[in-house]
Amino acid sequence: MKLSQILNGVKVENNFNDVEILDVTQDSRLVKEGSLFVCVKGNTFDGHSVAEEMLNKGAAAVIVEKDLNLKNQVLVSDTRAVFSLICSNFFGNPAEKLKLIGLTGTNGKTTTTFLIKQILENTGKKVGLIGTVQNMIGSEVYPAKYTTPDPYELQKLFRLMVDAGCEYCVMEVSSQALAQGRVNGLHFLVGAFTNLTQDHLDYHKTWENYFNSKRILFENCDYAVTNLDDEYGLKIVDGLPCKTITYSIDKNDADFCAKNVKFKASGVEYQLVSDYIGRVECPIPGRFSVYNSLCATTIALTLGIDFNKVLYAISKSTGVKGRIEVVPTDTNYTVIIDYAHSPNGLENIISSLREIAKGRVVTLFGCGGDRDKTKRPLMGKIAAELSDFCIVTSDNPRSEDPSKIIEDILVGMEGISTPYVVVENRKEAIRWALEHAEEDDIILLAGKGHETYQILPTGTIHFDEREVIAEILKK
């Protein structure tokens, strides 16, 4: 592909040689003969510092935002901002051939995207999915490194979806992806907002930055489906031209309301009230399952999917790995794995388990290292206030000392009478939990969810909590 074709729609500030391009990358490690290297300045590395080296390595051209006086440079005002468009052009602008549905919010994105995919597939549509747990093209599964991939991987997935005959793509859109311009140039048929609670402030620094990043999604969509029960539900779309559709459990003036909600160990039931009235049965327990299924239902009905087909698809939906996942143990207690790793996420899952628990709710949790430290005491306080017993352990400590992270957590548990133990090693903490479990207990392993690894100061190790539980019970 010619460089001029890849730069279609990009404002270029100098003359350039229209060379043949074989690949595009912003990663200096991936540059090969014929590559177009885009010099992006990150937090720790500036691609401009190796631009000349990349040309010597075989790059056909480099995209820069400052004049480096290099023979094969293309000067633009903002390399990060144009990278998404460059990647889109390189793959033939595949997203233009897809109906994009994007979900943003702190909690609920993963389960809701799976529910939407299942609803659409129930009507015979072929659907792609992009998210935290995995990427999918129809039934084919592709590994996911980030919630929202970088522009090159994202456009590559879109291309594969189009070539496979997908009509829709349902995707989680993270605040970091929005802030970094990974979805620049994409237009969403539907953008949806689940909720906004504390998370990722280590990256965004301020609450205002976090909120404004989420809001970017709704600047580029036709329909905005938003949670009226969240204080930011209407603020997120305030002043924007998209058509707004609201859903709610608590308010009667929403477009779609859940009434007469019933919580059971086998799931949730509620009356969906809108232009239609119907009984929704979702086989995933917990209050947040009402919100997730209500959001998915609202999106599907906004897309014009038949009402009865939506209700049927929700009733047949399956859970998502690492989201309120019940682990088979053949014991008289229950073990549940959940990805809850933020204050609100932890509060939601423990509160939901309290509604169905016959015995104690025992919460095993930690907090990630090199991330927002202010949420550690908050999570400690929430776990202690809502649980019957707590086991404080490691999550992904990364480069931090795990004991220091635990000390931060324990600050929030001071003055609360709930008993707890500290077992720093997560495998040993799980062993302790299982050995001390009582009849009808619910043992919640919070924080790791779908992850099959643990990031320690010494490096990343394989760590699948399902395997750990099976090994401990076998012994």
Side-chain angles (χ1 to χ4, degrees), residues 28 36 38 61 68 158 272 324 378 432:
S28 60
L36 174 63
V38 182
L68 300 179
F158 288 152
L272 176 64
I324 200 164
L378 296 178
W432 196 100

Side-chain angles (χ1 to χ4, degrees), residues 130-363:
I130 295 173
T132 306
V133 175
Q134 61 194 26
N135 302 317
M136 299 182 72
I137 298 174
S139 59
E140 290 188 54
V141 176
Y142 296 76
K145 185 177 181 182
Y146 301 109
T147 296
T148 310
D150 70 54
Y152 183 90
E153 292 300 323
L154 184 60
Q155 295 295 336
K156 183 179 179 180
L157 281 168
F158 288 152
R159 180 75 265 163
L160 291 171
M161 289 177 189
V162 171
D163 292 345
C166 290
E167 181 180 350
Y168 289 88
C169 173
V170 187
M171 61 184 291
E172 299 180 50
V173 188
S174 69
S175 55
Q176 292 100 318
L178 289 160
Q180 293 172 5
R182 291 184 223 164
V183 294
N184 280 4
L186 296 183
H187 187 80
F188 293 84
L189 175 58
V190 178
F193 171 75
T194 58
N195 49 64
L196 196 67
T197 60
Q198 182 171 342
D199 203 8
H200 304 303
L201 294 188
D202 55 300
Y203 175 82
H204 295 288
K205 306 304 180 187
T206 68
W207 186 264
E208 183 180 16
N209 289 343
Y210 185 36
F211 170 79
N212 287 335
S213 295
K214 297 286 189 188
R215 183 176 159 87
I216 292 170
L217 175 65
F218 303 97
E219 297 172 356
N220 300 288
C221 68
D222 293 332
Y223 297 93
V225 170
T226 186
N227 180 1
L228 197 61
D229 292 343
D230 190 278
E231 64 174 306
Y232 296 94
L234 290 180
K235 294 177 185 177
I236 203 87
V237 295
D238 185 41
L240 298 180
C242 51
K243 178 176 174 55
T244 300
I245 300 101
T246 57
Y247 64 92
S248 171
I249 297 176
D250 300 329
K251 297 180 174 63
N252 294 323
D253 56 343
D255 296 303
F256 293 85
C257 299
K259 298 297 179 185
N260 303 316
V261 180
K262 294 181 180 179
F263 301 102
K264 302 185 295 183
S266 59
V268 294
E269 294 182 11
Y270 58 90
Q271 201 79 19
L272 176 64
V273 180
S274 60
D275 293 338
Y276 321 88
I277 297 178
R279 192 72 183 167
V280 177
E281 298 180 4
C282 179
I284 308 171
R287 177 173 292 273
F288 50 85
S289 291
V290 180
Y291 279 108
N292 294 342
S293 59
L294 184 57
C295 179
T297 299
T298 302
I299 291 170
L301 294 174
T302 298
L303 293 171
I305 306 299
D306 178 78
F307 184 69
N308 290 321
K309 288 183 177 180
V310 172
L311 297 188
Y312 176 81
I314 290 289
S315 71
K316 298 300 180 183
S317 60
T318 56
V320 181
K321 183 178 180 181
R323 270 54 176 188
I324 200 164
E325 176 185 352
V326 178
V327 182
T329 60
D330 193 26
T331 63
N332 59 8
Y333 54 86
T334 302
V335 179
I336 290 177
I337 293 175
D338 193 85
Y339 190 51
H341 61 283
S342 67
N344 183 255
L346 193 61
E347 181 177 1
N348 284 341
I349 181 64
I350 301 175
S351 297
S352 293
L353 295 179
R354 292 225 67 89
E355 292 171 335
I356 60 174
K358 295 180 180 178
R360 300 182 306 166
V361 174
V362 178
T363 302

Side-chain angles (χ1 to χ4, degrees), residues 1-17:
M1 180 178 284
K2 288 293 187 181
L3 179 57
S4 59
Q5 295 174 288
I6 291 176
L7 294 174
N8 183 38
V10 177
K11 185 178 180 181
V12 177
E13 300 177 3
N14 70 317
N15 295 320
F16 58 88
N17 296 324

